[in-house]
Amino acid sequence: MKFGSRPARSILAYQSKARVHIVDQTQLPFRVEERTLTTWEQCAEAIRAMRVRGAPLIGVTAAYGMALAATRDATDAALREARQALLATRPTAVNLQWALDRMARKLDTTDPAERADAAWSEASAIEAEDIETNRTIGEHGLALLRVLHEKLQRPINVLTHCNAGRMACVEWGTATAPIYLAKESGIPVHVWVEETRPRNQGLLTQWELENAEIDHTYIVDNAGGHLMQQGKVDIVFVGADRVSLKGDVANKIGTYLKALAAKDCKVPFYAAVPLSTIDVRINSLDGVEIEERAGDEIRLIRGLSREDRVIDLRLLDANVNVANPGFDVTPAKLVTGIITEAGVFTPKELTPFLKARMI
Amino acid sequence: MKFGSRPARSILAYQSKARVHIVDQTQLPFRVEERTLTTWEQCAEAIRAMRVRGAPLIGVTAAYGMALAATRDATDAALREARQALLATRPTAVNLQWALDRMARKLDTTDPAERADAAWSEASAIEAEDIETNRTIGEHGLALLRVLHEKLQRPINVLTHCNAGRMACVEWGTATAPIYLAKESGIPVHVWVEETRPRNQGLLTQWELENAEIDHTYIVDNAGGHLMQQGKVDIVFVGADRVSLKGDVANKIGTYLKALAAKDCKVPFYAAVPLSTIDVRINSLDGVEIEERAGDEIRLIRGLSREDRVIDLRLLDANVNVANPGFDVTPAKLVTGIITEAGVFTPKELTPFLKARMI
């Protein structure tokens, strides 16, 4: 896919097997700073400092970190050191652990002389699988947009919350994948991009869509319900951090409010996720623990000063009490469907499909 | 009522009948700058520059502007000039027109030699009536908090959106009046203060509550629904810009989303308004025109720099499309009750009460 004059991907490994290219996301969307990583230590730093973010992208970056490690020194001791350091960067990231485990299985069963090549191949496979999963999610979501477009015969208004976009993944994103494919397929789409306080990930989504030349309008989170009341939203696409067996959706704080409005206004509401995000061990997300994040995410805000510098502005004194739950749970009763690489499932269809798959 | 070491009121006329004291709200909550107005021109400037804001406060400031005008020159020509200039400051503000009409009726029927005294008395009466209306709204809301407290025997968690507080009025506010009275009555209350993007009026509410030493926690708008799901909200109090005969509520954008969550989570949802805010000519607010406000309210954000200066930071380029509806409509079906100076009415009770009152 194209991405204007910007790099086509959040991460790109060069053929030379000596370096990996990323966009420094701590500066987005205010600055597009590209970085070249040539050591596993630089990969670790990029993950720790959140220069790369989003579960899939963290996993891929760590995998390439292991490839860089194996290129420099393929001994067991050196690889163990790199693996442990990479794992420690974001200890709770499930994809990070998963990618490093997969790399370790490959490296452990490969002769040291062949480990560098094997590691680059395996990292590249992880990357390619992520792209393919997201593209397939996009195809299934695209079918929904196509039906709406055939019915309404006008541009389809999609509302999205947070950034379940390409910069959290390698390409396509999850909630955004159907939108990018609609663009390629000639189905006209307009996207309502929600700001997504407190971290304003809507700025990333806006930046992505602008670079992909997709029609969009930026709104504050408060406006999404009103737009649905006015008939200005045809479908809601969000990502998810976790989906339960019966179709409860844990996603960025505020998602629940949009699902309520969608139900009230008869707007279909979908979460787009890889099957790996569905936690089949849990039926319902009722009472699941929600991460309480740092209060300074609310007290401070990042933007561009008049002198064009990226700075943090203070909105609230450090002594003001704030509460900052990072996620909320949208109960399955408000969810029209879950879009996965295996197809689109209503919450009722989801449980039997997942149970059949486990057997 | 007390207000820490801060001025007890958003506006205060001195006994000398020569000056009026305000807090410059353009600097709130980052700076508390008090100003003394000694001419009607300064009153007009304060309204135009939004140093005073909120329908009731604008009306009272304009009334004192006429008093200052009559003190300097009580001729018909001079008063006409002052009135027209004051009216032009915020041409769509209903309370401004209403207050100036009332002052004109008084001045027109008074001998020029007595106009100055008459004008100060009339402005003072308008001010006193606003305080009394809000205090009475507060008493009716307090009864709701008292019932909850007797039942739950713990601090009552109130959620509020935007600033329907004392700084929009002379004292008490509307949605905040029951909270201030609860404090005076010894009923423990904790307030969830919503940020209220894009203009962040939650900062004003936070500042008010801090100065009144009322327990509170600041949250982003996205978090309110999640807190209700978690049982952490006992009651929602909001203000309103307009209420219809059947109890539809037009209020700050995002109010509808909180009303949906309140309904879903069985949390009572009340709008607190003076009867003058109820538009008895309109049964429903379906399809009412909603003000589209400036995009720069979203693209820019005001806060304190590291050097402690009040500055605007850019979040989005000027060329990014934004939509900024200022208000939304909460349908009566989601409203538990309307708190007025005449008592609390369910939407079903509201219409017969208002019709009886009109006869």
Side-chain angles (χ1 to χ4, degrees), chain B residues 92-103:
Chain B
T92 58
V94 173
N95 274 58
L96 177 63
Q97 168 105 47
W98 172 86
L100 288 169
D101 285 352
R102 180 163 158 180
M103 293 300 290

Side-chain angles (χ1 to χ4, degrees), chain A residues 15-184:
Chain A
Q15 294 290 334
S16 65
K17 298 186 181 174
R19 55 203 171 104
V20 176
H21 189 87
I22 62 163
V23 176
D24 182 354
Q25 298 197 31
T26 60
Q27 300 299 303
L28 288 181
F30 308 111
R31 296 269 179 272
V32 182
E33 287 183 8
E34 304 178 16
R35 285 196 172 218
T36 302
L37 312 176
T38 57
T39 66
W40 69 257
E41 289 89 344
Q42 288 174 343
C43 292
E45 192 275 344
I47 298 169
R48 194 183 311 111
M50 296 182 77
R51 301 191 200 286
V52 291
R53 48 162 279 285
L57 180 56
I58 288 172
V60 172
T61 306
Y64 279 116
M66 289 306 296
L68 288 166
T71 302
R72 187 207 293 164
D73 180 350
T75 62
D76 287 355
L79 292 176
R80 195 179 317 115
E81 185 197 353
R83 182 185 176 192
Q84 285 171 353
L86 285 162
L87 189 59
T89 52
R90 297 285 301 274
T92 58
V94 173
N95 274 56
L96 176 63
Q97 168 105 48
W98 172 86
L100 288 169
D101 285 353
R102 180 164 159 180
M103 291 301 289
R105 278 197 302 278
K106 187 74 182 178
L107 288 164
D108 288 350
T109 57
T110 302
D111 187 79
E114 289 157 20
R115 279 178 178 170
D117 279 351
W120 284 98
S121 298
E122 194 70 5
S124 178
I126 291 173
E127 179 187 336
E129 287 166 27
D130 184 69
I131 295 171
E132 182 54 26
T133 297
N134 288 10
R135 192 185 159 92
T136 312
I137 288 169
E139 298 282 0
H140 291 301
L142 175 63
L144 300 171
L145 295 178
R146 200 185 297 277
V147 168
L148 280 172
H149 183 243
E150 279 165 12
K151 182 177 145 200
L152 300 172
Q153 295 287 321
R154 58 160 174 75
I156 301 307
N157 291 298
V158 180
L159 182 137
T160 190
H161 188 68
C162 198
N163 176 257
R166 61 200 327 281
M167 296 310 287
C169 305
V170 183
E171 272 199 85
W172 306 109
T174 53
T176 53
I179 296 165
Y180 290 125
L181 286 172
K183 168 89 177 174
E184 291 194 358

Side-chain angles (χ1 to χ4, degrees), chain A residues 245-247 270 332 335-338 344-352:
Chain A
L245 194 59
K246 81 175 171 87
Y270 289 91
V335 176
T336 310
I338 309 287
V344 182
F345 302 94
T346 65
K348 273 189 184 168
E349 294 164 345
L350 189 66
T351 310

Side-chain angles (χ1 to χ4, degrees), chain B residues 256-285:
Chain B
Y256 163 60
L257 292 168
K258 294 307 133 59
L260 283 168
K263 187 79 168 185
D264 192 46
C265 301
K266 300 184 172 56
V267 174
F269 178 95
Y270 289 91
V273 294
L275 287 170
S276 58
T277 299
I278 304 179
D279 190 340
V280 294
R281 301 163 308 171
I282 298 181
N283 186 48
S284 153
L285 293 178

Side-chain angles (χ1 to χ4, degrees), chain A residues 195 197 256 264 304 333, chain B residues 195 197 256 264 314 333:
Chain A
E195 178 176 57
R197 288 284 291 150
Y256 163 59
D264 192 46
L304 273 186
K333 68 174 181 180
Chain B
E195 179 176 57
R197 289 284 291 148
Y256 163 60
D264 192 46
R314 179 164 292 281
K333 68 174 180 180

